[in-house]
Amino acid sequence: MIAKQVQEKLAALFVLNCVLKTLPTAAWPPAAAESSPVVVLDELLRDLGNAEIRTDPDAVSLASTDFGNNVSSPTSRPAAVFYPSCAADIAALVRASSASASPFPVSARGRGHSTHGQAAAPGGVVVDMPSLGRRGAVVDRLAVSVEGRYVDAGGEQVWADVLRAALAHGLAPRSWTDYLHLTVGGTLSNAGISGQAFRHGPQISNVLELDVVTGTGEMVTCSKEKEADLFHAVLGGLGQFGIITRARIPLFPAPARARWVRLIYADAAALTRDQERLIINIDDGNRGGGDLVAGVMDYVEGSVLTDYQGLIGSWRSQPPSASFFTDADAARVAALAEKSGGVLYCLEGALYYGGAGDTSAEDADKGLELLLRELRYARGLAFVQDVSYVEFLDRVHAGELKLRAAGLWDVPHPWLNLFLPRSRILDFAAGVFHGVLRRDDRAAVGPVLVYPMNRAKWDPEMSAVLPFSGGVDEEEVFYTVAVLRSAVADGDLRRMEEQNAAVTRFCDDAGIPYVQYLPYYATQAEWAARHFGPGRWARFVQRKSKYDPKAILSRGQKIFSYPLA
Ligand SMILES: Cc1cc2nc3c(=O)[nH]c(=O)nc-3n(C[C@H](O)[C@H](O)[C@H](O)COP(=O)(O)OP(=O)(O)OC[C@H]3O[C@@H](n4cnc5c(N)ncnc54)[C@H](O)[C@@H]3O)c2cc1C
């Protein structure tokens, strides 16, 4: 009872600074001639105390670029950037667009970590989400309820700050992305995956409640119990149904440290066999399963090693304190690489222990001993580091700082992320890791991840799309392959884009079903046929017409335009 009261109070406090505002309605709709976004926004601002609008080149340029660094074109430029002080400001903006003669695009921009202009609002208004809470906010936008075991996080908050706030109470969320400087709203609009997803599901499977501004400008609180269809639509919904202004994330006792493991494999079959042994039939709390090693690791990923010594190749996961491999280790790995035709694989795992978690250092050591005995990696090529839980989760940030210092962060990133059925992962490895990606070594810069997840941890009611194709639809395990490259030299971008196209062409020719994660397609027909497929497309369209009938939200995704066809 008390917990419920505390929950209600926290939720109320969260929106307190917004609900007191009376939103303008009388001025809408403006006359047709006045319906350009800038004119509409000027009108709007008279009624919104703390919000700001900018149309200057600096603001507009920043809002038309993203981490991909290859989409800046006049067509992706917004007319203006909107800096809201609270969710109600965003709702007023969306209502203004909806009421104008030709509704203009409105896109939430978290940190712009998309790679293909997904957060752009061509000719419309980009909402600078980080300004929520900066401009005159009176309440904490990261409110931890220790009693309720959750954190209420603003959609603009980055996961690194969510972690920090929760850890102050000995708690933490349990599903992460590899990189923590992404916004809560941004990752929940996709899925949010990492090496914990096999056990706990993606981040979208770890949400209790959302506050959303829909495409009609309504502010709705939704959950599995309340407005469930909107809740499911928004999670993995690519920003199409609502702007997430608050997410309630469940918290659990946080471990203190991680034994961080890298095991080298000479072939894909051995790697994937071990990865699957580690993840199959895992339930929360299950550390046994049918196989001795099932569930022993808390985090399971993997990668393809072709340029393991390069700064860019290893940027995403160097421990902050020291290199994972000594020079002597690297020489032994290189020798194996030469014997194996230049391609090796690495299983990356972690066992958490200590802190408020239920695993002791001794338990972690026993688990590690078992893994090193049972798994079929190349003997002698097992590397273990002991780091704090925060160092482990925030490992990519250390790499980011190095790349920034070397001027290699703000370069084009033609990334390609795919979900593939387990039954075809070895065909894919043979054709892509040993084929397409090897044909032009000049385009080999950047990590290539490969790791499995359990379908059962994903909720099919949500909008995120998993690989499907007749008979293999029901496969319990599917793989993610992330080709995360940086174009640093002349011609790299073109070469990498050609290779990405060659990868998907290879899948098509070989009949390997796949869907893109962090997807991008240029036309609605491709979205419908290649990404969603008939049944899921029908549901997506139906939800769009219900929650954003004027196609205002996230037009940078290029899924819908106005009027909705
Ligand atoms: C270095 C790096 C590492 C990454 N690692 C991972 C990883 O390990 N796992 C993983 O799953 N992803 C990963 N990503 C991808 C990341 O999840 C996406 O880029 C995601 O979009 C988050 O970025 P963002 O918060 O900057 O969102 P943006 O790029 O700003 O927005 C992305 C999309 O979401 C919409 N959006 C943004 N905020 C909201 C909101 N509050 N409500 C509704 N819609 C919104 C936008 O309109 C846009 O369509 C990584 C990206 C980078 C650059």
Side-chain angles (χ1 to χ4, degrees):
M1 185 61 193
I2 292 176
K4 188 152 188 289
Q5 282 167 357
V6 172
Q7 283 175 20
E8 281 166 2
K9 202 163 164 198
L10 277 168
L13 270 176
F14 198 86
V15 292
L16 185 64
N17 64 331
C18 293
V19 292
L20 295 177
K21 292 194 173 196
T22 312
L23 298 173
T25 48
W28 311 109
E34 293 172 358
S35 63
S36 104
V38 176
V39 176
V40 171
L41 279 174
D42 274 348
E43 291 273 332
L44 183 68
L45 279 183
R46 286 184 214 143
D47 299 288
L48 301 180
N50 289 318
E52 193 193 348
I53 168 178
R54 283 175 60 184
T55 55
D56 56 283
D58 285 352
V60 166
S61 298
L62 187 67
S64 17
T65 54
D66 62 20
F67 184 75
N69 229 329
N70 57 4
V71 291
S72 184
S73 75
T75 52
S76 67
R77 292 173 84 78
V81 184
F82 185 67
Y83 301 84
S85 68
C86 64
D89 290 350
I90 301 176
L93 170 71
V94 174
R95 283 208 292 274
S97 169
S98 178
S100 70
S102 46
F104 50 82
V106 172
S107 290
R109 186 180 197 273
R111 292 292 164 110
H113 280 111
S114 301
T115 51
H116 290 85
Q118 288 94 331
V125 180
V126 165
V127 179
D128 180 71
M129 294 299 287
S131 98
L132 280 172
R134 277 197 205 136
R135 308 179 66 81
V138 296
V139 289
D140 189 357
R141 292 192 55 83
L142 264 178
V144 174
S145 165
V146 175
E147 215 174 326
R149 288 283 176 95
Y150 63 77
V151 54
D152 273 329
E156 78 290 354
Q157 297 294 317
V158 294
W159 286 99
D161 291 337
V162 175
L163 174 63
R164 206 166 298 128
L167 280 179
H169 303 277
L171 299 169
R174 57 189 186 176
S175 184
W176 297 98
T177 45
D178 289 342
Y179 176 60
L180 301 188
H181 299 257
L182 305 165
T183 67
V184 168
T187 69
L188 295 184
S189 297
N190 286 294
I193 56 167
S194 181
Q196 304 86 4
F198 77 89
R199 183 193 293 274
H200 301 299
Q203 290 180 319
I204 52 173
S205 297
N206 289 271
V207 180
L208 300 173
E209 186 178 275
L210 296 172
D211 280 348
V212 166
V213 174
T214 68
T216 55
E218 274 181 273
M219 295 169 66
V220 184
T221 299
C222 54
S223 65
K224 281 195 169 168
E225 289 75 40
K226 193 176 152 205
E227 302 287 349
D229 186 58
L230 177 62
F231 182 73
H232 289 131
V234 167
L235 291 169
L238 306 173
Q240 297 304 302
F241 310 108
I243 295 181
I244 299 166
T245 56
R246 176 184 65 97
R248 180 167 289 177
I249 313 291
L251 299 177
F252 301 85
R257 301 197 64 80
R259 296 261 200 267
W260 181 3
V261 187
R262 284 182 178 169
L263 309 173
I264 306 297
Y265 289 75
D267 66 280
L271 170 86
T272 53
R273 193 166 49 241
D274 276 356
Q275 285 178 318
E276 290 174 22
R277 289 180 65 196
L278 291 164
I279 74 143
I280 275 176
N281 295 327
I282 295 303
D283 274 323
D284 296 346
N286 175 354
R287 281 188 169 269
D291 188 319
L292 273 183
V293 300
V296 172
M297 280 187 179
D298 295 292
Y299 164 101
V300 177
E301 283 202 5
S303 57
V304 185
L305 301 179
T306 52
D307 64 337
Y308 52 90
Q309 287 163 313
L311 174 63
I312 288 186
S314 58
W315 66 273
R316 57 177 287 286
S317 49
Q318 282 295 1
S321 45
S323 168
F324 226 99
F325 306 115
T326 62
D327 287 348
D329 296 333
R332 286 188 301 132
V333 175
L336 180 64
E338 207 168 319
K339 269 207 279 177
S340 316
V343 181
L344 292 181
Y345 294 87
C346 174
L347 191 156
E348 180 154 42
L351 294 88
Y352 304 150
Y353 69 94
D358 55 7
T359 307
S360 65
E362 292 72 39
D363 293 338
D365 283 337
K366 271 191 211 142
L368 194 55
E369 215 180 284
L370 174 74
L371 294 172
L372 295 182
R373 195 174 61 233
E374 291 287 319
L375 297 179
R376 299 281 176 239
Y377 56 94
R379 285 291 174 254
L381 295 181
F383 305 95
V384 184
Q385 293 251 343
D386 188 80
V387 292
S388 75
Y389 182 56
V390 175
E391 279 174 325
F392 176 71
L393 289 182
D394 206 15
R395 61 202 177 280
V396 172
H397 188 51
E400 173 188 354
L401 296 178
K402 281 188 206 159
L403 285 190
R404 280 192 186 282
L408 294 172
W409 184 256
D410 292 320
V411 297
H413 296 99
W415 286 8
L416 177 70
N417 292 272
L418 302 175
F419 288 162
L420 302 152
R422 167 202 190 192
S423 57
R424 302 304 301 275
I425 190 67
L426 294 182
D427 298 331
F428 182 90
V432 173
F433 303 146
H434 297 263
V436 176
L437 295 185
R438 297 290 293 161
R439 269 178 223 137
D440 186 352
D441 279 352
R442 291 170 303 172
V445 183
V448 177
L449 309 186
V450 50
Y451 61 90
M453 287 177 278
N454 288 312
R455 185 183 289 265
K457 303 289 175 183
W458 295 62
D459 184 341
E461 287 303 308
M462 292 177 185
S463 294
V465 171
L466 300 186
F468 68 106
S469 136
V472 291
D473 201 9
E474 263 62 64
E475 279 184 26
E476 168 53 21
V477 170
F478 67 97
Y479 276 80
T480 187
V481 170
V483 185
L484 308 177
R485 295 184 293 177
S486 305
V488 293
D490 277 357
D492 274 0
L493 182 59
R494 186 183 48 76
R495 274 197 291 275
M496 291 176 183
E497 283 175 339
E498 281 169 10
Q499 275 197 340
N500 289 347
V503 170
T504 52
R505 225 175 17 251
F506 166 79
C507 291
D508 292 337
D509 292 348
I512 299 177
Y514 66 89
V515 292
Q516 288 186 23
Y517 177 58
L518 313 171
Y520 64 95
Y521 288 103
T523 65
Q524 189 179 76
E526 286 181 290
W527 277 104
R530 301 195 64 110
H531 187 66
F532 290 100
R536 287 186 296 210
W537 176 242
R539 186 180 70 178
F540 205 75
V541 171
Q542 184 258 330
R543 283 173 164 172
K544 184 71 174 178
S545 53
K546 188 167 168 195
Y547 300 116
D548 183 20
K550 296 189 177 172
I552 289 170
L553 301 177
S554 281
R555 265 194 229 164
Q557 298 272 10
K558 298 195 178 75
I559 307 175
F560 296 103
S561 52
Y562 175 78
L564 272 187

